[in-house]
Amino acid sequence: MTGTGDVAAPRPQRLEAANVMAAGLAFISIFAGPARADTTDQLLDQLKAKGILTKGEYRKLKARHAAETAAPARAAVASQAAQPLATPSDRFITRLDKGIGARVGAVDVRLSGQLAFFATEQFKQAGTASIAGGLGGGSLYNNSSAIRSGLLPSALALNLSTEQEGYKVSFSLGLYAGGNNIRVGLLNGNSSGASVALGTPGVDLRQVFGEISSPDLGSLKVGRDLGLFAADAILNDFTLFGAGTIAANASPSNTSLGRIGFGYVYADWIPQLTYTTPDFHGVTVSVGAFSPYQQFDNAGSYVSAAGVLPYSGVITGHDQPGFQARVKYIGELAPGMKLTLWTSGLTQRHRVESGDAILLPRGAGVRSMAIDAGGRLDVGPVTLVGYGYKGVGLGTTGLYFDGVGYDGERRKSSGYYAQAGYTIFERLTFGGSYGVSYLDANLADYPGRLGDGALVSANASTIGFVKYRFTDWVTFQSEFVRSISHNLLGQGVRTNALVAGTIFSF
């Protein structure tokens, strides 16, 4: 059924209408020419809206009309060519209407990316407590200065897309590079860097995926890309185009932290098979199977009466993929008022293997689960963002970092951030945010049991920023960042930092 008072035409009437329409298109193309293209497009839209044309018939007629409208232009080009034979259509190269790229035959080739560098000054740490897994510390006796990437590294991304048999098919490849020397380690470019001469920066090939989609069936993504859980938290973080917390500033890694670990867990770039439904009145649903990651002891180890023990359990086995899902809504409530809402979740099963550092028998299973929710409201010059998450076995900062105690018990974790921004003159934006991530202790984490009480319990930060859009490509951003960490004993450390730099994006 269509709107009130309208009834979808029976199938024979639809076919008859489609045939009449096809004839009408030929008549308009001959006598009206390109000047009537808008009228024909509007007529097709109205026939589809009233249910006279099916979606398939609508697409075919639109494609036929577009081809017939473009035919006179191609004929004019061919008639002016020096050679009597026209160039085959699959050899034409034309510019794209938007972005950097060209259309080569039937394929759109696009390039995008950014250059991201910031001057950072981190003041010496206040407090001397030991906080395993804490992010709020810095140098004990001196300030640290660096010129480094922000939360985004510099990047160059390639996208190829085309239409084949009614489907859009695309391929994407993203190359990301920090400007500082890399120290090869477990996390590669995300490990602490090396401030030593003759070093080289690292290249992070974090994106390589393909997609096939249609308006009626949705899209299927295959390859490595950003995960679903907590993705919108980082994509709506204003420090995405800045720096946020600049951990390890004396020897920077590929990127800063932004609010990673200070309000959300990093979504990460994960090999996946993800399906997204067609847009239904602004709502889309995504579900995917993801390459599983292990439970990891990010906090390190400590010396106890029983010897050197890890703070967290290490579980490397997994007999099934991880699963993530997201429901997202984007809508315009009124002119100049846009609302975005989302909720996402994940689950993954971990299995104990031989050699894992955990007091569980081989083959034992631990399941991690988490859910989040957030929203963004844009009203004229004002932008408001709120987000929160809760999980068990999820860990903090990175997926499954310190998510399980050495005794095998899952730790609970949670966090949130709130953010506001105000733009004047359509170029200058002021704003600020506050966020915190909590890791709840198990009984074994306290002194007198297995732990010593130094495990991180909270990472919190307060950030103020000013952003100026100099040109469409060039943006300057400056930030003041206060980062604080506490352990289970209530001891804390704090650092303040100033950040100023730019992103060239295209």
Side-chain angles (χ1 to χ4, degrees):
M1 299 293 288
T2 59
T4 303
D6 294 331
V7 178
R11 186 63 185 171
Q13 294 181 13
R14 288 184 178 177
L15 293 175
E16 182 180 354
N19 293 332
V20 172
M21 190 64 235
L25 283 175
F27 177 84
I28 293 173
S29 299
I30 296 173
F31 293 100
R36 297 292 185 178
D38 290 343
T39 302
T40 304
D41 288 333
Q42 292 173 6
L43 179 57
L44 287 172
D45 292 341
Q46 292 176 7
L47 290 173
K48 177 176 176 290
K50 291 181 177 295
I52 296 175
L53 293 178
T54 66
K55 291 181 179 179
E57 293 166 349
Y58 172 77
R59 286 201 306 270
K60 290 180 181 179
L61 290 173
K62 288 280 283 190
R64 175 177 172 181
H65 177 54
E68 291 173 348
T69 302
R74 290 197 298 268
V77 172
S79 65
Q80 295 175 4
Q83 299 297 327
L85 295 177
T87 303
S89 61
D90 63 352
R91 296 184 186 177
F92 275 113
I93 299 179
T94 59
R95 70 177 181 86
L96 297 179
D97 294 333
K98 184 179 181 181
I100 297 177
R103 171 162 291 180
V104 182
V107 179
D108 289 342
V109 182
R110 298 177 186 271
L111 290 176
S112 61
Q114 69 270 340
L115 174 73
F117 275 93
F118 293 84
T120 59
E121 184 75 16
Q122 186 179 54
F123 301 101
K124 65 180 181 180
Q125 173 180 306
T128 59
S130 174
I131 303 180
L135 305 172
S139 300
L140 282 173
Y141 304 107
N142 300 287
N143 297 349
S144 64
S145 180
I147 297 177
R148 58 181 292 173
S149 295
L151 180 52
L152 283 177
S154 299
L156 180 65
L158 169 68
N159 177 265
L160 308 176
S161 63
T162 188
E163 296 277 349
Q164 295 182 350
E165 300 183 18
Y167 296 96
K168 181 179 179 180
V169 182
S170 66
F171 166 80
S172 297
L173 177 69
L175 303 173
Y176 296 79
N180 298 88
N181 295 343
I182 189 174
R183 183 192 299 270
V184 178
L186 180 64
L187 305 181
N188 296 315
N190 291 325
S191 300
S192 179
S195 298
V196 180
L198 300 183
T200 60
V203 176
D204 179 2
L205 202 156
R206 60 175 65 172
Q207 270 184 313
V208 52
F209 65 91
E211 280 189 295
I212 181 169
S213 63
S214 76
D216 298 336
L217 300 178
S219 65
L220 177 66
K221 178 187 296 183
V222 181
R224 182 185 179 102
D225 196 24
L226 194 65
L228 297 174
F229 178 76
D232 292 278
I234 191 171
L235 294 177
N236 287 282
D237 180 359
F238 281 170
T239 67
L240 183 64
F241 298 101
T245 297
I246 49 174
N249 194 57
S251 297
S253 60
N254 267 3
T255 71
S256 61
L257 286 174
R259 285 209 158 279
I260 298 171
F262 294 89
Y264 55 81
V265 174
Y266 187 38
D268 221 313
W269 307 82
I270 313 175
Q272 60 188 270
L273 297 172
T274 297
Y275 168 74
T276 300
T277 65
D279 186 302
F280 182 74
H281 299 294
V283 177
T284 57
V285 179
S286 301
V287 293
F290 290 74
S291 184
Y293 285 166
Q294 71 175 62
Q295 285 286 346
F296 178 66
D297 177 24
N298 184 56
S301 58
Y302 63 97
V303 178
S304 71
V308 178
L309 293 177
Y311 279 103
S312 302
V314 175
I315 306 178
T316 60
H318 29 71
D319 55 0
Q320 57 185 249
F323 298 96
Q324 298 187 20
R326 177 181 63 189
V327 180
K328 188 172 182 178
Y329 167 78
I330 301 176
E332 187 172 5
L333 302 182
M337 182 182 294
K338 180 182 177 182
L339 178 64
T340 303
L341 299 172
W342 69 87
T343 181
S344 61
L346 65 73
T347 182
Q348 184 189 312
R349 188 165 182 82
H350 310 268
R351 291 283 191 180
V352 178
E353 278 288 347
S354 174
D356 286 353
I358 192 167
L359 297 179
L360 287 177
R362 298 177 189 178
V366 173
R367 178 167 292 280
S368 299
M369 297 179 290
I371 190 169
D372 71 359
R376 172 170 175 160
L377 179 64
D378 294 280
V379 184
V382 177
T383 298
L384 303 173
V385 178
Y387 171 82
Y389 74 92
K390 194 172 184 65
V392 58
L394 172 69
T396 190
T397 306
L399 292 174
Y400 317 123
F401 278 21
D402 302 315
V404 177
Y406 181 54
D407 63 343
E409 185 180 352
R410 297 176 298 175
R411 295 189 179 112
K412 296 179 181 179
S413 56
S414 60
Y416 66 89
Y417 79 88
Q419 175 180 274
Y422 184 82
T423 301
I424 59 176
F425 311 125
E426 298 183 350
R427 287 182 178 267
L428 185 62
T429 302
F430 299 88
S433 64
Y434 173 81
V436 59
S437 286
Y438 298 105
L439 184 65
D440 293 349
N442 298 330
L443 289 177
D445 294 325
Y446 288 96
R449 298 178 183 271
L450 291 177
D452 67 350
L455 181 69
V456 64
S457 64
N459 289 309
S461 70
T462 303
I463 302 174
F465 73 93
V466 179
K467 180 173 68 175
Y468 179 70
R469 184 173 61 83
F470 186 66
T471 71
D472 287 342
W473 280 27
V474 182
T475 300
F476 298 104
Q477 184 154 318
S478 181
E479 301 172 359
F480 170 79
V481 184
R482 170 169 286 194
S483 307
I484 303 174
S485 293
H486 286 93
N487 61 22
L488 298 177
L489 301 176
Q491 301 166 332
V493 297
R494 181 186 73 248
T495 53
N496 296 331
L498 292 175
V499 173
T502 182
I503 282 192
F504 289 21
S505 58
F506 60 90

